[in-house]
Amino acid sequence: MNQHERTAFFNFLETAVRQTDPEIAAALGNERRRENDGLELIASENFVSPAVLAAMGSVMTNKYAEGYPGKRYYGGCEFVDVAEELARSRATQLFGCDHVNVQPHSGAQANMSVYLATCQPGDTILGLDLAHGGHLTHGHPLNYSGKTFKVVPYLVRPDTETIDYEALRELARTHRPKLIVCGASAYPRIIDFERIAEIAHESGALVMADIAHIAGMVAVGMHPSPVPHCEFVTTTTHKTLRGPRGGMVMCRAEFAEALDKAVFPGVQGGPLMHVIAAKAVAFAEALTPPYRDYIAKVLENAKTLCGELQGLGWRMVSGGTDTHLMLINLGADGISGKKAEERLGRAGITVNKNTVPFDTRKPYIGSGVRIGTPAVTTRGMGPAEMKAIAGFIDRALRSEEEAAWAKVKTEVEALARAFPLYGQA
Ligand code: DSN
């Protein structure tokens, strides 16, 4: 689509909504403008293509299709079956897995399905601690995973702030878990899935790798794949994969039946067929050479942005990044992550506060901010823009006055508008 067609497409969508619901139409228009005019640096966010968006906003939202292609509990599924089969075969091709279930509505439900397929309530699981980069669904006490299972968290090393694989081995030997969960939400380094699988298997555990953040890199071979080593691999589809908001699970052939039963009827009812159609579109996009180039640029941009921030005096967790994300450690005496998120927000830069390893602040406050390059790279930004963005972040974080943030915001908007999104001028 060229710029003119994009503008017409998005205006049409908003006009269609405006005729029945002007309030939601206004919110949609404002969100489109917010996305266009600001710098989106939340590491888990991205901008989908018009094709993905169109598939999501399609007639397949109307269809009930409990079950799986060729074996549904409702009639009239012949075309949604086509969508799900395409999503499955493309995902299998993308990741080289034996089996995939593309129905999970989210990453949380993908993970829940694996727990249901492998564990009983009260079983022991090991997961990376939330403050050390893990995820709520990897065993946090407030999450179903922490409430249902006996969870033993593992940590990063205090010196390198990278996963302490030897301590993990000791925990596995001591606790004999049913499942070791690996993968992370806020971890900037390569994860050695092969080593974790070896640790798990030596203590009789299964392994689930949650690659929600790094799926794009795994798909194009720019991060080692867990698929040959781990029994289960879960992901979301909307982060680096740049598809619709949703989840999926890959597994070895021997677990296919148990997994499919865990997703439906175990965890979910009717699948979101419009989202599954959009997943198929995103996977087709991810199988093309331009997507590979995109991921290479995401990584290059992350390295550049991280290096520039370090040059400006900011301390980065683990001393750098191998991935699409980085974490600034603001320090126990510095401004909190919450305050940093607010300051950057006033300057038109969207990030999220985050805990850092061994944080003394609570998660809602945190001592860090997480920054990622997938969304700005989708807009076409490169190393020159990363250098400018590092300067904006530095100025916004060090300022204490509204006028200073407003000045940065003007510059942020000028940069953002030079890389228009979704047909905006
Ligand atoms: N909320 C996601 C993230 O930002 O990493 C994980 O669920």
Side-chain angles (χ1 to χ4, degrees), residues 68 101-120 137 143-145 149 179 206 208 232-235 247-251 255-269:
Y68 291 100
N101 188 308
V102 295
Q103 293 193 0
H105 303 332
S106 69
Q109 284 175 307
N111 291 349
M112 191 187 261
S113 306
V114 175
Y115 296 139
L116 191 64
T118 57
C119 296
Q120 294 297 322
T137 59
N143 182 260
Y144 72 88
S145 53
F149 307 109
L179 183 72
L206 300 170
M208 178 187 104
F232 294 89
V233 178
T234 64
T235 185
M248 72 177 189
V249 186
M250 296 165 260
C251 71
F255 298 104
E257 197 182 332
L259 172 70
D260 285 350
K261 279 192 178 140
V263 174
F264 170 81
V267 169
Q268 296 186 169

Side-chain angles (χ1 to χ4, degrees), residues 42 44 135 185 213 239 352 370:
I42 291 179
S44 49
H135 188 254
S185 260
H213 268 265
K239 298 185 175 91
N352 66 280
R370 191 184 63 165

